[in-house]
Amino acid sequence: MRERFALNWLRIPSGMRRALLLVLVGWGLLLISDRISEFRVYQGASVATYFVAIVSIVLLTGYSGQVSLGHGALLAIGGYSAALVMQNLHWPFWIAFFAAVFVAALVGALLGVAAARLSGPYLAGTTLAFAVGLPSLANQFSFLGGEQGLPFDIGVAPSRFGENFSPYKWLFWISALFALFAVWLAANLLRGRYGRIWRAVRSDETAAALSGVNVARSKVLAFTVSAGFAGLAGALLCATVSLVTPGGFPLSLSFAILTGAVIGGVRSLVGAVIGAFTLVILPMVADAIAQGASDAVSTNLPAVLTGVLLIATIVISPGGIAESLSHLGRKIALRRQKRI
Amino acid sequence: MQQFVNTLINGASLGSIYSLMALAMILVWRSTRVVNFAQAGQAVLSTYVGLEIHRITHSYPLTLIIAIIFGALFGALVDLLLVRPLMHRVGDGPIAAVAPVIVTLGLLSAIQGFVGLIWGGEYRSFPAALSQNGFKVGLTRIPFSPFDLFILFTTLLVMLAFAYIFQRSGLGLAMRAAAFEPEVARLAGVRVARVRTIGWAFAGGAGALAGALITPTTLLAPNSLDLLLVFGFTAAVLGGLESLVGGVVGGFLLGIGLALVVTYLGSSFTFITAFVVLIAVLLLRPRGLIGQRSVRNA
């Protein structure tokens, strides 16, 4: 069926096709950002941020089969590195984003070396400990700004974008651009050699090793790449609030990211999009339910919903929404074939 | 010298609480092969229930006993309603290996959210059994209080009870058999599923006691036991995650070690030390400091 799809896009090479598709999506997003309210634009930036974070889980858990309960800590490392680079070196913000990716990937590589030797529950517990403890470190080093944290301001749009180009729209454009870049990178990576290697290791370590795959190295690499994505997400997250604080990376953030990945489908980039939207919509749903209720209800309902959704997904459809949809699509296609 | 001895005693008192948490995690891990990260949530919930009981009755013994019973019942319910059906369903699904861990995490999030929803997020104080002011030795007041003594005494009592149950009673034998080789135990007439649920109940009770004993010092909030979870897990790993004795030893070692670190290096190094210990043990001696020869790669 894919063969017939417009003569394979007029025979454009697949890598190029993906890039073209993303440019089109980006164009669409820019057009949309002009048509919707400021608040929705801001939420769009959140979706892009969560998306990058979830992609990092998809790479790690979905493809390499390793669990991390502590990705919030890697986001924190990304956020702090970006803020430090901006504050001390006064480089432009986009270099700060790459610094975030680099530092987080470096820490990820170190963690990955340990992680490659740990299995399931041990790795989960270690990463959980990492996430519980790391933010508190910020209080102990004065150059990290303590509880108040550090400012991280990506500024306003250059004047050539026009007078009424709002800061939110600027934030959204940047987040969307980085998110598209991230998905392009991830899609190429997963379709390529390393995606294959990761899948091989995930389904059977011994068989992969016998086929000449260096299992340990592939796991460390997966952790490193995943941490890089997490670092980028952390910098984006801090850009949305113009601030990096230890309180900005609670354990619930790590849980939320994992929930988004599981709900969407931990093995698919489409699932990551679904998951990112879910994470932004969930608090709105909670607000709607908790209307008129006390503060305690409205602040804690999202956590309850997150937990319940996470459990429900695992019990009802462990592959997440994306996999359920593709099952459904296959069923419909089969039925059609039968009719012909 | 005086300071060193004080540190040791204090560390032992903290360590005994870590041991309880480690015991809870080991009991569940042995019987179900799940590391129960919701243990912190379950303990927080039972501690809040205890707080309510204390508000009504003003009786400490009643508070402690009801909190423990509630913790045990809730643990059993978690197994019956969540873990048991899940194990049947997920068996060989696409993310079978990580599903149980993720479910306990979802439960942790749900419980902490629920607790915050009912009782709010602010820190609350929780009653202690005895005075938390240190004993007087001569004219100086040492940092070891009657309540610390109560903690040590209670946890040792619980550990002795566990030891008796596991080594001397039919139920303990069934639990050990079910953990060691479920299939063979079933053939020998052990009702493995029921024995597992009892294991979850014991774990819930132990976790509840740990929560109620540490909360007078840490104060109570929906996520106030996260650190206890991490230390309990570290203690369990120190002991190899398989053996109950290992967990107890691991808890005391961790408690005393961390107390020494706080006294001689400063409290800011507590967490780093625990994390380094955790990583070091996992990399160098994955079977734990006193673990058995064989180690499962589950």
Side-chain angles (χ1 to χ4, degrees):
Chain A
M1 214 164 70
R2 205 169 269 176
E3 248 55 49
R4 268 182 282 155
F5 186 54
L7 276 178
N8 228 349
W9 279 44
L10 305 169
R11 303 191 193 293
I12 306 170
S14 70
M16 187 87 90
R17 220 184 307 152
R18 278 201 286 280
L20 267 177
L21 186 67
L22 286 178
V23 169
L24 279 178
V25 170
W27 186 259
L29 285 178
L30 294 190
L31 287 180
I32 291 171
S33 76
D34 274 336
R35 304 277 188 284
I36 56 180
S37 72
E38 283 285 281
F39 181 59
R40 294 276 176 259
V41 170
Y42 177 76
Q43 285 186 318
S46 298
V47 171
T49 304
Y50 281 132
F51 172 74
V52 177
I54 292 174
V55 165
S56 119
I57 295 279
V58 167
L59 287 171
L60 187 70
T61 307
Y63 277 79
S64 167
Q66 306 179 78
V67 205
S68 164
L69 309 186
H71 253 51
L74 290 168
L75 263 76
I77 289 170
Y80 272 100
S81 328
L84 282 175
V85 164
M86 280 268 287
Q87 196 182 36
N88 297 324
L89 303 173
H90 306 288
W91 284 347
F93 71 86
W94 57 270
I95 295 184
F97 280 100
F98 285 106
V101 172
F102 180 74
V103 177
L106 209 62
V107 176
L110 287 177
L111 270 179
V113 170
R117 299 183 53 181
L118 305 180
S119 51
Y122 294 100
L123 180 57
T126 310
T127 49
L128 182 79
F130 189 53
V132 170
L134 190 89
S136 67
L137 282 185
N139 292 330
Q140 285 150 30
F141 298 100
S142 57
F143 72 96
L144 295 177
E147 282 295 337
Q148 275 75 47
L150 300 170
F152 180 59
D153 194 356
I154 56 168
V156 292
S159 51
R160 64 168 172 281
F161 283 123
E163 285 285 302
N164 44 14
F165 196 90
S166 74
Y168 281 160
K169 206 186 277 179
W170 175 237
L171 179 71
F172 172 75
W173 279 37
I174 289 168
S175 315
L177 203 68
F178 273 107
L180 288 173
F181 177 64
V183 74
W184 174 75
L185 211 62
N188 279 333
L189 208 60
L190 293 182
R191 284 289 169 89
R193 181 166 165 236
Y194 285 105
R196 266 199 314 279
I197 288 178
W198 287 334
R199 264 173 291 163
V201 170
R202 184 193 62 197
S203 42
D204 193 334
E205 274 188 27
T206 319
L210 284 173
S211 320
V213 171
N214 186 333
V215 172
R217 196 199 288 159
S218 92
K219 284 186 170 179
V220 175
L221 186 74
F223 219 107
T224 310
V225 174
S226 166
F229 277 91
L232 176 60
L236 287 173
L237 185 71
C238 296
T240 53
V241 287
S242 308
L243 198 64
V244 195
T245 59
F249 306 92
L251 205 51
S252 54
L253 176 69
S254 302
F255 293 176
I257 297 168
L258 190 64
T259 308
V262 171
I263 289 176
V266 80
R267 288 194 184 169
S268 109
L269 293 176
V270 178
V273 178
I274 301 174
F277 271 100
T278 312
L279 288 187
V280 171
I281 293 171
L282 210 59
M284 295 165 65
V285 174
D287 266 354
I289 296 175
Q291 207 144 50
S294 69
D295 239 19
V297 174
S298 56
T299 48
N300 287 297
L301 201 55
V304 178
L305 291 181
T306 310
V308 171
L309 263 180
L310 191 56
I311 296 172
T313 310
I314 295 276
V315 173
I316 297 168
S317 128
I321 297 176
E323 200 159 283
S324 306
L325 285 181
S326 78
H327 274 305
L328 200 69
R330 234 173 286 150
K331 250 184 213 166
I332 294 172
L334 262 179
R335 206 167 281 172
R336 237 187 237 162
Q337 274 183 355
K338 272 181 197 157
R339 226 174 271 163
I340 296 167
Chain B
M1 189 58 211
Q2 173 70 41
Q3 194 189 22
F4 182 71
V5 173
N6 286 344
T7 308
L8 283 190
I9 309 176
N10 257 317
S13 146
L14 261 180
S16 66
I17 302 180
Y18 300 158
S19 299
L20 275 180
M21 200 63 178
L23 277 183
M25 305 193 84
I26 292 168
L27 277 170
V28 169
W29 168 254
R30 271 165 50 121
S31 67
T32 326
R33 296 284 137 194
V34 174
V35 171
N36 183 15
F37 291 110
Q39 201 81 61
Q42 290 168 234
V44 157
L45 183 60
S46 63
T47 310
Y48 270 103
V49 168
L51 194 64
E52 285 301 312
I53 298 298
H54 192 264
R55 203 170 51 90
I56 298 166
T57 63
H58 296 289
S59 147
Y60 185 81
L62 216 57
T63 303
L64 195 63
I65 290 168
I66 293 185
I68 292 172
I69 292 175
F70 177 84
L73 286 179
F74 193 80
L77 276 183
V78 169
D79 181 49
L80 280 177
L81 299 182
L82 199 62
V83 177
R84 206 189 275 186
L86 181 83
M87 288 304 189
H88 282 298
R89 273 196 68 97
V90 182
D92 49 345
I95 47 172
V98 294
V101 166
I102 292 178
V103 163
T104 64
L105 210 66
L107 186 64
L108 177 61
S109 171
I111 294 177
Q112 286 185 340
F114 174 79
V115 164
L117 209 137
I118 304 273
W119 284 284
E122 64 269 17
Y123 278 87
R124 288 160 185 256
S125 58
F126 188 81
L130 300 164
S131 161
Q132 286 180 276
N133 296 323
F135 284 114
K136 263 188 180 165
V137 176
L139 286 176
T140 52
R141 199 175 271 283
I142 62 168
F144 185 72
S145 69
F147 184 57
D148 287 324
L149 198 64
F150 175 79
I151 292 175
L152 268 176
F153 183 71
T154 318
T155 48
L156 286 179
L157 206 66
V158 169
M159 284 163 198
L160 284 179
F162 270 142
Y164 178 81
I165 291 174
F166 275 94
Q167 297 302 330
R168 292 289 154 88
S169 76
L171 173 66
L173 188 63
M175 287 176 86
R176 275 158 53 207
F180 183 70
E181 194 67 76
E183 219 39 61
V184 176
R186 187 172 290 121
L187 290 175
V190 175
R191 307 185 77 157
V192 174
R194 184 183 293 178
V195 165
R196 265 183 198 164
T197 308
I198 294 173
W200 276 78
F202 279 174
L209 179 61
L213 290 181
I214 205 167
T215 303
T217 15
T218 61
L219 297 182
L220 186 59
N223 57 1
S224 63
L225 295 183
D226 285 357
L227 218 52
L228 178 63
L229 178 75
V230 170
F231 289 155
F233 178 75
T234 309
V237 167
L238 267 175
L241 209 52
E242 288 283 347
S243 108
L244 295 170
V245 180
V248 172
V249 174
F252 277 103
L253 279 181
L254 187 70
I256 293 172
L258 290 184
L260 288 174
V261 166
V262 169
T263 310
Y264 294 105
L265 292 176
S267 60
S268 50
F269 288 91
T270 323
F271 182 76
I272 306 177
T273 313
F275 190 68
V276 168
V277 166
L278 179 63
I279 296 259
V281 171
L282 281 174
L283 292 186
L284 302 178
R285 270 188 81 89
R287 60 176 182 272
L289 294 180
I290 60 161
Q292 301 108 329
R293 258 166 295 142
S294 67
V295 59
R296 264 183 216 238
N297 281 324

